[in-house]
Each structure stands twice: as structure tokens, then as C-alpha cells.
Amino acid sequence: MTEDPVPSLGRWRLWEQFALRGPGFPADGVLRLAPPGLAEAADKFDADAPLDGADWADFARLFADAAVETAHTLQDIARAPSFREAVAWQNRPVLTSGIAPFLRWRPGVDKRSSMPRQREELVAHYWQRFCVKNDTIGFFGPVGWGRWDPAAPHAVTVDTGSGLIAESTVYWASWGIDALARTLDADPGLREWVAPRRVPFVTVDGDRVRVPGRRPVTVGAGAAAVLALCDGVRPARAIAAALPDHDVPAVLADLVARRWVVWRLDVPAGTHPDRDLRAWLETVGAPEPRRRGLAALDRLEEGRAAVAAARDVDALVGALTDLEREFTELTDTAAVREKSVSTAPCRALVYSDSRRSATARLGPEALEALRPLRLLMDSAGWLTSRLAAAVRTGTRAVYERLAAEGPVDLASFWFACLPVLHGTARATADELQEEFAATWRRILAAPADARRVAVRSADIEAAVREAFTGSGGWTAARYLSPDVMVAADGPEAVARGDFTLVLGELHLAANTLGASLFTHQHPDAGELVRLTDRDHPGPRLLPLIPKEHRARLSARVRQTLLRPRDYQVALTDFTADPARPRAVHSADAVVEEHDGDLVVRLPDGARFPVADVFSHVLTTLSMDLFRLLPQEGHTPRVTVDRLVVARETWRLPASEAGFADDKDEARRFVRARRWRARLGLPRYVFVVSPAEPRPFYVDFDSPVYVTILAKTLRRLARRDPRGTVTITEMLPTPEQTWLRDDEGRRYTSELRFVAFDTEAGPTGHR
């Protein structure tokens, strides 16, 4: 790339690097499930036409024939090694319980009972995800990369590379290595080499121990001496050697019982927990216990290596099965976790991530088409600044109450602020979202019944500037991560300038490219670190967060762009390497006033805005706040210049979709198309239901996808008679995909950018 200026949109500097996200199966795969001519035949039965008589009998026969052909197509899909391999990574038991019996069934010969239909839907459901969802996981959702290039001849230029995948790596889910660590921790020969550590929020001052919200406790000389040495680095045997006059194991047992100390083998959070566990085992000075521990880890590592080396689906299934058996034998733990609200996404022992061979370059024409994004990002800065201001007000009151009694340690402050963070701040976030959408609706002045709204950025810029002032609020809030799609009839159309940009999501207060799933698939992760250095020349303060928590946290989404200069503060969970120099306990930091603002002062004197301590909570609250229009029954597609900033969306009561209850498939298909025509829905949509874990694709020309939609509507209506589904137009459609591989196959895709606010107020190190 030449030495031209860095791309920017007003005050927002874009990273030169961006991610190219897309599935690993071609987009036209889903079109195979729309029988040619069937939709046109169904539409001959308009709203008043009776669904009986000779014409209906002819259609019913046509529909039955199409059902047989679709079943054969679904079997061809299910038989494909790449499909079966993708399913094996997602949910291996389905291959035996669902896919295998489906392939034994004979369409047109055997009875088409409810079970074969369910298996058809199973295959179709996986297939839509593999073909048109821009997920990032494995070879069926590989991460590609691109860069801005001022010399690029076109808006988007693609180098297809060789094949689909440049590189794949198999990683451990952290919970699996944690289970092995628990097993090793029970080995008496290893336990004395485990380093006890003080709980982050426990304050120790000589012989006085204090936990937030409780009175200080005076302890004996032995407990005080042991507690002072529990730094997470010294092994228990080293503490015992340093204090020969005390029964250290007994004292440690008491400290653990009081919940002041953690004495267990903890593996730091990270992308490679196996490496951290091995590094610890190699510090064990006792040869035989060390050998036992390394042998156990080696057994599992051999299994992971076999999974990584598998070159076909049968070998993969065998390797995964063997690994799970070894794991269960070693740890006496189930090798697959049950799905629940309390588990993070990584349910299996290992997962695979891949780097796409294709790379992209964006030129000046693409940057120009993105110009309207500046207005949206400016308004997003208002959201985070207002949220931060509300939190500052609430936490200031907490500080003043605590400060009236003496110095305020961060641990006490954190716990006292929880009602603000999880109560009033959450309510404030909801209110801000409503105000934000209402303000944008007023600026856009969209007619109530509009299907399409097109405005010029020049015509609304002054109104946006007046309505949305403020930016930042905490250091992470200087980042925005927009997803942008390119709608074009192939790369030739892009080269002609015949394309439209479509905003997918705008993630607030986060550099999402810093997540492990992205950084570890970059050919030179050091470049991402250098971009971070440019944004933050000084150190940052980052809160340590749990290893996993519901859908938001797992090893794959953990931030990895951590530099040696950055500080980490453990509020309640200490998930870093205890030996890391700039890992700080909350009990050892102080909250104080500095230049009129509340700051956190660390033991070495470094100061940071107190909001940075709350950054994970604030980012979680704000990340999905960006919603351009209110949540109403229907909202139009909104285009600003050449950028679609909102896709047309319908919110519909599930109970009012009468076709969903029709048990006859042909009648249901015709009635669904009538329903679609009455509402003006496009052929391709994505559906979000409170009764389903994730959005899914529907093609109204495809009976199997109409059936999946009908089941979703019935399920939601049973669960909540007033429940609504959200239906959003698919844009780009499967025919508007521009990304190709070296064989000319076309894929859906999106570009994940990082934007940094160069004009935000004071944040970071002070």
C-alpha cells in the first residue's frame, strides 16, 4: 500500500485492515431448494380462488412431485462430505440421529411421514446457515482479510487466492483444559506446586482483612503471614518453606474456607490454554508428578492433533470420538456440555477456525460511498457519551457516600456500584435507545406508509449535528465496528460502479477485530497490534472478565490485542497470568478525585478514568443500542446517498399468520404466499423469533423453508399468544453476491471495519 493518508470519515479514522466475513458454501446453494415453476403455479390461486377442484388437484400433484425432487436434492446436500463435515463440527450426534436415517429413506417410495419431513427441515436449516449466514467459524465460516488501497482501480477488488481456505487451526475450548486442570489439581504430588492467590477484592493491611460490605477482621500472625505470600506466583511448598514455624497447609485450608484465598490450578484465559497448562507443568520440580501431568496433557494433545489432521469426514468423526473418550477417561467429565443460558457458545472440547484464501482491496470509490456512515457514527457517539454521563452521575453519588467514611478502595467501590450498573444504567440504556430512534425518525421524516426512503446526507447533516452532540465516554467507546455489505450483480458490476452498500450492524464501544477469532486468523497479527498502538500510544486499563458467561464470552470472542504496557484490573475474577507485571487486584487500587473527575489510582501511581473499570459492562449495555428506527410494525428501507442504512422490516404477531396452522403442505405453501403478497414481503427474508436461538433465512419460493417458518410461528404463538416475529428483507440477495472463489463460485459476505474516534474527550492513562 502506498503512503497515502489513512482512510477516514470525518473524525472517524478507519483501520487500513478490515475483515472479510462470509460462509464457506456458495450462496446459490439455497436456491436449489426452490422448485422451478412451483411458486408461479401457486400464485395462480389468488386470494379469492378456492383451494379445491380440478385445478387444485393438478397443483397438488405438482407439489407432491416437487416435494420428492426437493427431498432428493436435500439428500444430495446431506450426502456431500463438506456438508457432513460442517455438521460434525456443529453437532456431531446429528450425523447419526438425523442425517444417516434421512439418507436411508427413499423419497417417492417410502412413506413421507413426520420424521422424514423433520429430517428434511434439519438439513435445510443447517444448509441456510452454511450458505447465506455471514458467521465466523471453521471452514464453513472462514475469516478473510482486506485493506484499503488508494491505488485500487475499482471500489472492490478481490484476489481469490487458491482454493477456499488458506489455513485452518484446531483450538481447545477453555472449559476442556480447565477440566483437566481440576483433575491434575487433585494429584497430591502436584498440588503443593500450585500457587495460592488472594481473592482480588480482599484487602489485607497487616493483620486486618476486609471484604467489601463487611467489617474488618483481625487474624492471627500465621494467617497474616501466609495471606501476605498468596500472590498466585509462589507455590504452596514455597510458602511453607518460607514460614517453617506455621502449619501452612492448615492455614491455607482455613483461608480458602473463608473465601479469602483461591488455591487451585487455574489456567489463564486465552486462545491457547493448553500451552499455559504445559508451561505451568514444566515448572513443577517433582519429576514423577510432572511426568504424570504432562502425560495426561499429551494424551489430549495427541487427540487434538488427530482431529486437526483429519482429511475427510469419517476421519474427523473418528478423531473427535476418540478425543472425547480420552477426555472422559482422564477427567471423569462429560465431553460435550449441555446447551443452557449459563454456558458460552463453545460446547464441544475443540473448535476450528479458518482463514479464507480470498483477500480484498477497497478503493476511493468505496470510501466515497461510505461517507454517509460518518453521520451514523457521530450519532452513535451521542449514545455512548450519554450512557457514560448517566453512569458517572450514579457512581459519583456512590463515591461520595463511601468517601465520607475514609479512603475508597476500588473493590468496595465496584460492589457498591453494581446497583447502578445493572439497574439504573440498564434502564438509561433502554431510554436512550428509544430517544435515539425517535430522533432519527424525525430527521429522516419518513412517511408512515413508506416502503422506501431516500435522502441525501447533505440535507440531513445539520440536523444530525444539532441533535447528536458528544462522543466517547470511556476509552473503549472510541471504537465502532460497522458491518457493511456490497450488493452488486458480481465483480463486473462493482468494476462499473454499479453497486449499493448496505449497513448490517454497527457495534458500539468495541473493536471487534480484536477478538481471538479474528486476530488468530490474520497472517500478521502484529499489524493489528501496531494499529492499536497508533490509537492508544499510552497504556490502557482493561478489566479482567470471566472466562465464559452465556453467549457473550468465550475464548473465541475474548480480546487479544493486549500489550505489555496495558494494565489489567481484577474486579472479582482473576483470569490473567498472576505473574503478569501489570495485573492488579481491585482491593489494591484506590478511587479518588483528580481534576474534578473520579479516577482509579493503581499501586504504581498510574491513573485512569473510573469509567474504564466499568468498560465491559458499559460496552455490553451499549453494543447493540444502535437502532435507527423505532420498533414498529413496519419500517422502510432507508438509503442515504448510496448507503442503505436500514433494511425494510416487519414485526408481525405470530398468532395472526393463519397459514402456519394448516396441516396440508400444499395448502400451507399457497396460503403463505398469499400472506406474503398481502404484506408486501420480498421473496428472501431473515426471521428473528424469541422462540429461536438465532435468525434464519426464508425463501418464500421454497416449501421447505416456508414449513420451517410455519413451525417457528406455531411454536412462538403457543409460547406467547402475543409474541411477534421480526422479518427483515435479505439485502443483498443471493443473486447480488460479488465475492468469488478461484472456481467462480459466489458467496454472501460482509466487511467488518474498525473506526476510531480521533476527537473524543479525555480518556485513557492520566
Side-chain angles (χ1 to χ4, degrees):
M1 186 170 177
T2 62
E3 295 300 322
D4 290 68
V6 173
S8 62
L9 299 171
R11 73 180 197 240
W12 300 93
R13 180 174 64 217
L14 298 178
W15 273 22
E16 292 88 339
Q17 293 279 312
F18 56 83
L20 172 61
R21 303 182 71 200
F25 289 79
D28 61 5
V30 289
L31 303 183
R32 297 171 61 188
L33 302 183
L38 188 64
E40 292 82 354
D43 291 345
K44 292 178 181 178
F45 298 92
D46 59 29
D48 299 322
L51 303 184
D52 56 21
D55 288 343
W56 178 253
D58 289 340
F59 177 77
R61 283 191 292 272
L62 178 66
F63 188 93
D65 291 342
V68 173
E69 288 303 312
T70 298
H72 282 299
T73 300
L74 285 165
Q75 287 187 327
D76 289 342
I77 291 169
R79 201 175 285 114
S82 56
F83 176 85
R84 293 172 59 232
E85 185 177 351
V87 172
W89 278 112
Q90 287 287 277
N91 191 356
R92 196 179 77 257
V94 167
L95 292 175
T96 302
S97 64
I99 304 299
F102 176 58
L103 292 176
R104 290 194 296 268
W105 175 63
R106 297 173 299 172
V109 178
D110 298 333
K111 183 179 179 182
R112 192 162 177 270
S113 60
S114 63
M115 191 56 71
R117 291 199 301 269
Q118 289 178 31
R119 290 164 180 159
E120 288 178 358
E121 295 156 21
L122 173 72
V123 174
H125 201 79
Y126 275 114
W127 189 234
Q128 58 87 28
R129 182 179 181 188
F130 297 159
C131 291
V132 295
K133 297 291 293 299
N134 296 322
D135 285 340
T136 301
I137 184 167
F139 73 92
F140 48 99
V143 176
W145 288 94
R147 62 168 60 243
W148 289 96
D149 183 356
H154 307 301
V156 184
T157 305
V158 178
D159 179 351
T160 63
S162 177
L164 177 68
I165 302 300
E167 185 177 13
S168 291
T169 305
V170 175
Y171 301 89
W172 283 104
S174 59
W175 71 267
I177 295 300
D178 287 343
L180 177 59
R182 287 194 298 272
T183 298
L184 299 180
D185 193 45
D187 183 337
L190 288 172
R191 183 153 180 76
E192 65 176 345
W193 295 91
V194 175
R197 58 176 171 78
R198 173 168 48 103
V199 172
F201 51 80
V202 172
T203 301
V204 179
D205 182 9
D207 61 354
R208 289 168 60 84
V209 179
R210 185 166 54 83
V211 175
R214 299 180 186 175
R215 293 180 178 277
V217 176
T218 301
V219 298
V226 172
L227 192 53
L229 298 180
C230 289
D231 57 5
V233 178
R234 290 182 181 86
R237 61 179 285 117
I239 297 176
L243 302 172
D245 297 332
H246 299 284
D247 186 353
V248 170
V251 174
L252 282 175
D254 178 64
L255 295 175
V256 170
R258 290 173 177 261
R259 298 184 179 179
W260 294 346
V261 164
V262 172
W263 185 21
R264 63 172 179 254
L265 178 52
D266 273 340
V267 181
T271 307
H272 299 286
D274 51 305
R275 297 178 185 175
D276 289 317
L277 179 56
R278 184 176 298 278
W280 177 81
L281 284 166
E282 289 173 348
T283 68
V284 172
E288 185 55 26
R290 181 177 67 245
R291 185 200 64 76
R292 289 196 301 267
L294 288 171
L297 179 57
D298 286 342
R299 281 176 64 184
L300 293 186
E301 272 291 87
E302 289 168 7
R304 185 197 61 81
V307 170
R311 292 296 175 262
D312 60 64
V313 62
D314 293 331
L316 175 64
V317 168
L320 288 169
T321 302
D322 291 344
L323 174 60
E324 291 177 0
R325 184 178 59 252
E326 288 281 345
F327 174 81
T328 301
E329 289 178 0
L330 277 171
T331 67
D332 194 27
T333 303
V336 178
R337 296 187 299 178
E338 293 297 324
K339 182 183 291 187
S340 73
V341 296
S342 61
T343 57
C346 294
R347 296 172 56 215
L349 281 175
V350 292
Y351 63 91
S352 174
D353 274 328
S354 302
R355 176 162 55 88
R356 199 178 204 107
S357 293
T359 57
R361 288 182 295 150
L362 296 182
E365 189 178 7
L367 184 62
E368 185 60 33
L370 270 181
R371 291 290 174 198
L373 186 60
R374 173 179 61 85
L375 300 180
L376 276 65
M377 294 194 297
D378 286 351
S379 67
W382 173 88
L383 279 168
T384 54
S385 65
R386 289 285 297 273
L387 178 62
V391 170
R392 279 197 299 271
T393 299
T395 56
R396 164 68 75 165
V398 171
Y399 170 77
E400 290 175 352
R401 173 169 56 83
L402 296 177
E405 301 177 3
V408 180
D409 64 87
L410 177 58
S412 298
F413 182 70
W414 166 260
F415 280 102
C417 286
L418 290 180
V420 175
L421 298 173
H422 297 290
T424 55
R426 189 175 301 277
T428 297
D430 293 340
E431 293 166 1
L432 288 172
Q433 188 175 57
E434 292 181 7
E435 183 181 351
F436 181 80
T439 303
W440 264 109
R441 178 174 59 181
R442 185 172 65 253
I443 291 171
L444 294 169
D449 58 348
R451 296 284 305 272
R452 301 286 184 269
V453 174
V455 300
R456 297 191 318 144
S457 57
D459 294 337
I460 63 172
E461 183 169 0
V464 172
R465 187 183 305 114
E466 181 180 354
F468 300 110
T469 58
S471 63
W474 63 98
T475 299
R478 300 183 72 175
Y479 281 120
L480 295 174
S481 297
D483 295 330
V484 176
M485 294 166 283
V486 181
D489 295 329
E492 297 82 4
V494 176
R496 295 193 305 269
D498 186 9
F499 65 89
T500 300
L501 298 186
V502 181
L503 177 66
E505 294 182 276
L506 181 57
H507 304 285
L508 274 60
N511 172 5
T512 57
L513 292 193
S516 173
L517 66 94
F518 289 114
T519 59
H520 284 84
Q521 308 315 314
H522 194 282
D524 179 14
E527 185 166 359
L528 304 183
V529 175
R530 290 189 288 275
L531 291 170
T532 304
D533 288 341
R534 182 180 64 190
D535 296 339
H536 303 287
R540 296 171 294 173
L541 179 64
L542 306 172
L544 281 168
I545 56 179
K547 284 187 179 181
E548 295 187 337
H549 182 258
R550 298 177 184 170
R552 287 286 189 182
L553 291 178
S554 71
R556 296 184 72 243
V557 300
R558 183 169 292 275
Q559 285 290 312
T560 56
L561 296 179
L562 176 70
R563 308 160 303 167
R565 75 187 72 169
D566 294 324
Y567 291 87
Q568 292 178 290
V569 60
L571 299 166
T572 58
D573 298 275
F574 200 108
T575 53
D577 180 353
R580 187 178 186 274
R582 292 193 167 187
V584 179
H585 286 65
S586 57
D588 299 337
V590 175
V591 179
E592 59 189 16
E593 195 164 359
H594 181 74
D595 293 339
D597 294 322
L598 292 184
V599 299
V600 176
R601 178 167 52 82
L602 304 182
D604 67 357
R607 292 189 180 94
F608 293 88
V610 77
D612 284 359
V613 173
F614 306 138
S615 63
H616 178 68
V617 175
L618 291 172
T619 293
T620 300
L621 284 173
S622 63
M623 195 169 187
D624 300 322
L625 281 184
F626 187 90
R627 187 185 297 152
L628 205 60
L629 296 172
Q631 297 280 72
E632 298 175 342
H634 170 264
T635 51
R637 180 194 297 180
V638 179
T639 305
V640 181
D641 299 341
R642 296 180 65 180
L643 175 66
V644 175
V645 298
R647 288 166 285 181
E648 190 172 13
T649 300
W650 296 258
R651 295 165 188 86
L652 304 169
S655 60
E656 295 181 9
F659 75 90
D661 293 320
D662 204 318
K663 294 183 179 180
D664 182 273
E665 289 183 282
R667 289 172 56 88
R668 184 167 62 222
F669 182 64
V670 171
R671 292 182 65 197
R673 293 191 61 78
R674 289 175 173 177
W675 180 75
R676 169 204 167 225
R678 184 173 71 254
L679 293 169
L681 301 175
R683 173 181 172 181
Y684 310 111
V685 298
F686 282 105
V687 179
V688 176
S689 167
E692 303 298 328
R694 56 175 63 90
F696 60 93
Y697 157 93
V698 171
D699 176 358
F700 281 101
D701 283 12
S702 168
V704 67
Y705 285 123
V706 167
T707 296
I708 290 173
L709 172 61
K711 283 194 171 183
T712 297
L713 293 169
R714 291 200 303 271
R715 189 179 301 117
L716 177 58
R718 285 195 302 268
R719 195 181 85 170
D720 178 5
R722 294 181 297 179
T724 60
V725 293
T726 300
I727 299 178
T728 302
E729 63 172 326
M730 182 184 187
L731 189 69
T733 65
E735 300 96 340
Q736 295 175 313
T737 50
W738 57 273
L739 177 63
R740 292 183 178 176
D741 63 15
D742 58 348
E743 296 184 12
R745 294 171 295 200
R746 292 164 57 153
Y747 300 81
T748 66
S749 62
E750 69 183 19
L751 308 174
R752 170 70 60 86
F753 298 109
V754 173
F756 180 76
D757 189 350
T758 60
E759 297 180 7
T763 57
H765 181 251
R766 297 186 178 184

